[in-house]
Amino acid sequence: MPSQSNIEFQLKEASQLAEETAWSALVEREAGSWHILESHHLPKKNQAALIEFLSKAEVDSWLCGAVSGRQSRSVSLPESSGVETGRLNAFPLAEATGVILVGANQLSSNSQRLWRLVALGMNGNKSTADTSATASVAASLLVPDLDSENPFDMPRALDRALTSFIRLVSVQGAWLAIRRGDSFEIRAQWNAAHLADTDLLIDTNPLLRRMNRNLTPMVVNRDDALWAEIPHKGLKSNTKLWACIPIVIGQRVIGSLAVWRTSIFKRDEWARLIDLVTQSAPVIETIITFAEMASHLRRLAMLNDFALTVSSGRNLDQIARRMFALLARGFGTELIALFLLSSDNRLIHEYRSQDGNMNLSIRNAQEKKYATLLSQQQKARLGDPQLKEMTPVHKGAASGLYLPLRFRGQTIGMLCVEAPKNEAFDFYDESLMAVIASHLASLVDYSRLREEAEGRARNLGLIHEVVQQVIGLTDAPQVAEISAELLARYFAYELAAVFIADTQGALTIGGFGGTSQNVVRRAMKSFEYPISGGITGHVFETGESLVVNDVAQESRYRSLHGWQAGSEMCVAIRDGEKVLGIIDVESSSSNAFTHNDFMALESLAGILASVITSADQYQRFQATIGELRSTQGELRERMEAQRKTESRLVQAAKLAAVGEMAAGIAHELNNPLTSVTGFAELALEETPSDSQARKDLDLVVREAHRARDVVRRLLDFARQSESARAKASLNEIVEDVVALSRHLIHTSGVQLSVQLDPSLPWIMVDANQIKQVALNLVHNALQAMPDGGKLEIETRLSKRHHHKGVTLFVSDTGVGISPDEQTRIFEPFFTTRGDRGGTGLGLSVTYGIVTDHGGYIDVESEPGKGAKFTVWLPVGS
């Protein structure tokens, strides 16, 4: 083939001569794909689009057909191709696998003729005669040169070898396979993309079996009965011949070459092909040998890398990541998975490689597929009888190795390496993986124990911080709120919630923490307490803690408006068999929680159980103290009431004694006073008006009248006559008293304030007696304010000892009453007026009237701050 600069010049010249040409490029097929060797007017972005278009199976087959037939072709380009021309024209080189591609909307016949000439000219400077003369030595010239090939890259080397064969003879399609055990593995193909990496079993096909036994080529024409036994499909309707040639070293078949074409071979073509295959056999064996040596060295390198890199990992994630990179590099597959059991065998940590990244998820070990996988005690392959119920770990896997990780007789996990092709792993791969799995098991167990110890130590430190702040709390809502807030703060949870059962055993006490707590608080307003259902309700009802790594797979999960969890962990707070509450933490990501998180929550739940129990006992103790204090207060009130009652009984006894005595004195004094008054009035009538004695007699009459009034009051006090009671309004009685006293109030310089409750009910009273009570209280208040002041009268509906009644308040701003005087204020003949006069009977009579009506009278006063009299009368008879 001409040099690269010469190719570029020829493409440029031809593009200028063929004016319809938009761009041109020389492409060549190598290692199963097309590559651009040189181009003209084809931008880089269009080059990438062209290569992608040529990688399609139907386009690859179309180009291979052009090369095999040595005929130019043209096809319309779809807009999705990205090449930006209407048609693609292909002009194959005469003696190579290269093709000139020309992009144009339409090429004229002259332009097509020009490009065909350019394609013929790129075969070199040899004439046809020269080519014919050297045909006999073509085979030796086409053998791959090991000095220029990479013998360790077997796919590329075999593809070059297949290219040498199809350059020698014109074919529709071909494949080159190497022998692996009892099958041929197709490692290179030409115009047969559907056969790439296909395994053909030798013993199940009569053509391959006969060729392997006789070490001779098998040639089948379409008319032969064996045409139906060709071990693969994809032959076209115009295919006339299929041939398979063994690649033999001594008496050993190391591979095979299959070709098919539209015509039978000429004798010289067939001889050249057989000769080339024979000469290529040592080369192919060398390629295979070097590949196996490279594979062996790769295995040794993997073990060395394992010792140097994987074993130095500081934690399980780092170990898994390095292990995945090592296996992907060594076996050329991304279908790798590592399953590790937690220390309590409840959870599985699943490490997977996806798109070059390692993902970790936590699963339930009781799920059927994981239980089946981890039940294997020996290494196994996909398709083995003991794995007949197990599906591949990765979708699309056709082969796989499954190696249990066993440490001290216990299975602690499983290492899985799968591949999308059949029989991807040989005996040596299996042995290598067994060694790696053995070392990995001890490494994983050590790292897991170290991580768990470090995690528990760290979590215990954080739990200690939480406990210090909640251990002394005695209020359940406060315990829930602070615990949730501290959990979110110290453990960096997005959402932490603590729910505690109330005295009725329902989840009504809740506290929230975390960055999403406000969203959840708003959403919880739409929930009715107590909390029930969902994962939290299930844990509270059963007492069984749950770790849900993907809530989308959990039917019991209940979503909240504005918050969607990815994973959830809920732990019961238990005191023996009794569930006191729950701790619930959530994350928006799936598989967010580790076994250490679960252990930390269970530890905290145990401590919170003690705090909640202590708080409950403290609350009950405080309730008992409250009840005792209430009983003590009630007892004091009863004792005070009894004391007052006894005081009133003593007062009543005094009044009764005074009444009897007053009645006797009144009768004894009434007759002499009548005589004195009568004779004094007669003497006054007979005494001249200018007599000095008249003034003395007038004084005698006045004093006699005053003494008679005192006697009359004593008789009224002593009689306690039957009162005439009827329904009356306390407000009307007060209004009458105010009307009678208004002039006296005004002349005394006193400011009056009256507040009457319009809702007062009627009461059964002697209206005149109650009017006397009110009048006495008003007069006493006025006499207590000789220099003026403020008088307030108020009525109000009230209760006393659970009995409905009405209350009259009479307040003044006068001189007040001392505490000693208050104890005697209702005794007969006791007065606080001193030299201001007063009989001391007004309040005694008032007291008698009120108590006779089943009522109550009391006084509140401080010296110099006035006094307030309270009269309570019951409603009803």
Side-chain angles (χ1 to χ4, degrees), residues 601-634:
L601 277 197
E602 286 198 327
S603 300
L604 184 60
I607 296 171
L608 283 184
S610 301
V611 173
I612 293 170
T613 302
S614 300
D616 182 57
Q617 292 175 349
Y618 178 80
Q619 292 294 335
R620 282 185 284 177
F621 178 67
Q622 290 296 106
T624 303
I625 292 177
E627 291 176 0
L628 291 174
R629 286 177 177 171
S630 176
T631 303
Q632 182 184 29
E634 185 178 350

Side-chain angles (χ1 to χ4, degrees), residues 89-265:
N89 300 270
F91 302 94
L93 305 188
E95 295 183 1
T97 57
V99 181
I100 295 177
L101 299 180
V102 177
N105 291 329
Q106 186 67 44
L107 281 179
S108 65
S109 57
N110 289 333
S111 296
Q112 293 180 26
R113 191 178 303 110
L114 172 64
W115 279 113
R116 280 195 288 269
L117 290 174
V118 172
L120 288 174
M122 284 191 182
N123 288 297
N125 299 321
K126 294 184 292 182
S127 65
T128 305
D130 293 334
T131 303
S132 177
T134 57
S136 60
V137 295
S140 60
L141 296 176
L142 292 174
V143 174
D145 184 2
L146 290 179
D147 293 334
S148 61
E149 296 289 340
N150 178 10
F152 300 99
D153 187 3
M154 184 167 63
R156 185 180 182 89
L158 293 180
D159 190 77
R160 287 291 181 89
L162 180 60
T163 301
S164 300
F165 296 137
I166 63 175
R167 283 178 178 176
L168 184 64
V169 294
S170 176
V171 298
Q172 275 188 318
W175 51 257
L176 179 62
I178 63 172
R179 182 168 182 174
R180 292 288 190 190
D182 295 331
S183 65
F184 286 121
E185 295 181 3
I186 297 178
R187 305 303 294 268
Q189 51 80 24
W190 171 264
N191 200 16
H194 63 287
L195 296 178
D197 296 325
T198 301
D199 290 345
L200 303 177
L201 294 177
I202 297 174
D203 292 338
T204 58
N205 184 268
L207 295 176
L208 299 180
R209 186 172 60 247
R210 186 182 303 177
M211 180 192 70
N212 181 63
R213 184 176 62 249
N214 298 333
L215 304 181
T216 57
M218 295 297 300
V219 180
V220 184
N221 294 312
R222 178 172 286 275
D223 297 335
D224 292 345
L226 291 175
W227 185 263
E229 301 297 337
I230 294 175
H232 61 82
K233 298 180 180 179
L235 302 182
K236 296 182 179 180
S237 59
N238 62 346
T239 303
K240 301 298 183 181
L241 177 140
W242 180 88
C244 188
I245 305 170
I247 302 174
V248 181
I249 297 294
Q251 297 297 313
R252 185 167 49 88
V253 176
I254 64 170
S256 60
L257 169 68
V259 296
W260 53 95
R261 51 190 281 168
T262 57
S263 61
I264 63 174
F265 283 105

Side-chain angles (χ1 to χ4, degrees), residues 513-549:
T515 56
S516 302
Q517 61 169 307
N518 293 331
V519 175
V520 175
R521 284 182 191 274
R522 288 194 296 269
M524 288 297 292
K525 292 180 180 178
S526 62
F527 273 72
E528 295 185 0
Y529 283 89
I531 300 298
S532 60
I535 294 175
T536 53
H538 173 77
V539 172
F540 180 69
E541 291 170 4
T542 63
E544 177 187 353
S545 301
L546 285 179
V547 178
V548 181
N549 297 296

Side-chain angles (χ1 to χ4, degrees), residues 149 161 264 290 311-312 339 375 415 438 476 502 524 549 572 650 686 696 725 743 773 778 805:
E149 296 289 340
I264 63 174
F290 272 112
S311 299
S312 62
F339 303 92
S375 64
L415 176 61
S438 175
D502 56 19
M524 288 297 292
N549 297 296
V650 171
E686 296 176 357
D696 295 334
R725 300 185 183 181
H743 177 72
V773 169
V778 171

Side-chain angles (χ1 to χ4, degrees), residues 451-467 487 490-491 493 569 594-604 607:
E451 278 190 16
E452 289 183 357
E454 291 175 352
R456 289 178 184 176
R458 182 174 60 255
N459 288 341
L460 285 175
L462 295 175
I463 289 173
H464 178 70
E465 296 289 338
V466 175
V467 169
L487 260 177
Y490 286 127
F491 290 88
Y493 293 141
M569 182 165 51
T594 65
H595 180 64
N596 281 340
D597 291 322
F598 183 74
M599 296 293 293
L601 277 197
E602 286 198 327
S603 300
L604 184 60
I607 296 171

